[in-house]
Amino acid sequence: MLLRSASFSSFHPRAVADTPVRPSPSPPDGSAKFCLREARLTIDFALPSASATAMPLAYSTQHILYFTRGNRVQFRNMVSADTTGQLFRLQEEKHGEPMLLEAGGVDRPGLLALSTSRGIIQVWDADSKKMVSTWTTKGAASMTWNGPVISVGTAKGGIRHYDTRIQPTSKMKEQASRLTRHEASIGTLSWNQDAKLLASGDDSGVVHCWDNRTRSPLDVGEFHQRRKKIQHPGSISALAWCPWQSKQLVTGDISGTVRFWSIDPASAHSNATSPSTYEHGSKIVNLHFASNYKELLTTLGPVPRPADATDRAIPSWPPPGSTASNALTVHAFPSLRQIASVSASEQDVCGSVLSPLSSSASGAQKIVVAVPGETKLKVFDVWGKRKEIRRQTSSLETSIR
């Protein structure tokens, strides 16, 4: 199910080859090893059109799930027993179809950003159900919040940072800073925990990392034509920053390759030129770190078509019947030892979002998986308190008494 091509010990220069192997520690009670299971909840869901490639799905810090049913943007409170409600409906002839949804962070919890197929970006106040701002950006392919700033990656390889505090909107557009280095559509963006580093991944398999104080990408990665860069064999489909190591980045692509990087060009011991690599054999739909546990969840999609795997290091990979597809797998970090796995669907999984920590249970987190072929969003418990097994008195014990 998983080919491990390098150990995480390669990150640490002091590792010694003949160091005695220690037994793996037992996972904590809230580990996915004990908690990963499908919940008794599914939600009706539909992409705007059969040809849609973007995934309009978002999970807010207030535990509100946002999703689409065609051109309608709907929401559901995932903590209370509330039913699904509608936030708004787009007029297709005027605005186009919803393509991306991004919920605001802890300092903007009630805001939702939307991009459409006609290049329109809207920001909605979910509490009042009112649109608070709108503007146009050609070819928005990815989007993420950083405080009051919305970072947008475009189909032409540019990144723009829009500060939503600037009014009117025309001035916000004029003052938006711009980053250029990518030569292909930027399909995914991610800020690290302290909002100092931005990772951007494009359809040519290139990932650039940016310091928020500069306009040039950091000199990290492997050497390609005398310049360092992070390069994957397939289009970048997932990025994740480690919440407890702010410079640790994980990258994934549509061919099934996952790589691990230490984004620190100033460090002599950076792993930027020799990252560990995993080959899953199935499309990497998303990557999620646990908030309270040192574990990494990978959402796997379908096995790539043969044409998508022509550049793989192992042309015959994956062997027939050995690849996990459309599934959730969890690995301990940094050992990368697989500790849990569950099938998500027999249909293609196309997206996933992770919940914030639940206040009702220490460390509890859920993941919502999009399966357009079933027209459903499936909910899985991932991390939380281990459920105690109640011991029942057997009939044998009763008879002995």
Side-chain angles (χ1 to χ4, degrees):
M1 294 173 64
L2 191 66
L3 174 66
R4 182 174 180 173
S5 62
S7 168
F8 191 82
S9 62
S10 63
F11 288 166
H12 306 287
R14 296 180 180 178
V16 180
D18 58 355
T19 300
V21 178
R22 297 180 179 178
S24 301
S26 299
D29 284 350
S31 166
K33 178 179 178 64
F34 309 114
C35 301
L36 181 61
R37 63 179 63 87
E38 187 170 358
R40 297 179 180 179
L41 175 63
T42 59
I43 301 170
D44 291 337
F45 162 79
L47 291 172
S49 68
S51 61
T53 56
M55 185 53 56
L57 187 63
Y59 213 131
S60 80
T61 57
Q62 296 177 318
H63 295 274
I64 306 298
L65 179 69
Y66 299 99
F67 55 95
T68 58
R69 287 182 182 172
N71 273 18
R72 294 172 293 170
V73 175
Q74 301 195 324
F75 64 91
R76 184 186 180 100
N77 189 317
M78 299 297 286
V79 175
S80 67
D82 292 348
T83 58
T84 297
Q86 181 166 305
L87 184 58
F88 59 88
R89 181 174 182 173
L90 285 180
Q91 299 178 16
E92 184 176 352
E93 63 280 1
K94 182 178 180 180
H95 302 112
E97 299 178 338
M99 299 296 290
L100 299 169
L101 295 175
E102 284 292 326
V106 292
D107 55 346
R108 297 291 190 280
L111 296 184
L112 178 72
L114 159 81
S115 71
T116 77
S117 58
R118 293 197 175 183
I120 298 172
I121 295 179
Q122 299 177 348
V123 178
W124 286 76
D125 185 323
D127 296 329
S128 63
K129 296 185 179 181
K130 293 182 179 180
M131 185 175 64
V132 295
S133 61
T134 181
W135 67 95
T136 57
T137 298
K138 293 183 179 179
S142 55
M143 186 167 57
T144 186
W145 285 89
N146 181 13
V149 177
I150 298 178
S151 301
V152 178
T154 69
K156 292 186 177 181
I159 302 173
R160 289 184 178 273
H161 300 307
Y162 298 97
D163 190 335
T164 58
R165 295 169 298 184
I166 299 175
Q167 296 297 326
T169 304
S170 57
K171 289 187 177 180
M172 179 192 68
K173 290 187 63 176
E174 292 174 1
Q175 298 179 30
S177 60
R178 183 179 181 183
L179 305 176
T180 57
R181 181 60 65 88
H182 287 277
E183 297 180 355
S185 178
I186 301 173
T188 180
L189 292 169
S190 180
W191 285 96
N192 73 342
Q193 289 294 106
D194 56 17
K196 293 181 179 179
L197 296 175
L198 172 68
S200 55
D202 68 28
D203 288 354
S204 69
V206 172
V207 176
H208 287 308
C209 294
W210 313 77
D211 188 302
N212 65 354
R213 298 164 297 183
T214 65
R215 294 194 176 187
S216 297
L218 298 175
D219 188 28
V220 295
E222 300 170 326
F223 279 103
H224 292 267
Q225 298 179 349
R226 299 182 180 181
R227 176 179 291 176
K228 285 183 179 181
K229 67 176 179 179
I230 296 174
Q231 179 73 60
H232 270 252
S235 300
I236 303 300
S237 53
L239 301 169
W241 291 96
C242 180
W244 60 89
Q245 295 181 14
S246 62
K247 295 182 180 180
Q248 186 70 58
L249 174 68
V250 183
T251 59
D253 66 27
I254 63 171
S255 70
T257 299
V258 177
R259 290 184 171 180
F260 303 84
W261 311 84
S262 179
I263 307 302
D264 189 2
S267 173
H269 303 300
S270 172
N271 75 312
T273 60
S274 58
S276 290
T277 303
Y278 262 1
E279 299 288 353
H280 277 278
S282 298
K283 177 182 178 180
I284 308 301
V285 172
N286 222 324
L287 296 161
H288 305 280
F289 276 102
S291 298
N292 273 6
Y293 304 95
K294 292 187 176 181
E295 297 177 359
L296 172 68
L297 183 148
T298 305
T299 305
L300 299 175
V303 177
R305 298 187 302 272
D308 296 332
T310 55
D311 295 331
R312 299 183 62 86
I314 305 176
S316 60
W317 178 264
S322 66
T323 302
S325 60
N326 301 310
L328 304 174
T329 64
V330 181
H331 293 78
F333 198 85
S335 69
L336 307 184
R337 174 175 53 90
Q338 181 172 314
I339 59 176
S341 180
V342 64
S343 174
S345 176
E346 294 183 357
Q347 301 287 329
D348 289 352
V349 170
C350 297
S352 66
V353 288
L354 183 68
S355 76
L357 290 177
S358 172
S359 58
S360 60
S362 177
Q365 286 186 284
K366 299 179 182 292
I367 189 169
V368 179
V369 177
V371 188
E374 296 186 22
T375 63
K376 295 292 183 182
L377 296 175
K378 292 186 172 183
V379 183
F380 292 79
D381 296 321
V382 187
W383 292 289
K385 288 185 177 180
R386 184 178 181 182
K387 294 182 179 180
E388 296 296 333
I389 299 176
R390 294 183 179 179
R391 186 173 180 268
Q392 296 180 351
T393 304
S394 69
S395 58
L396 179 60
E397 290 175 329
T398 304
S399 62
I400 292 176
R401 294 177 184 175

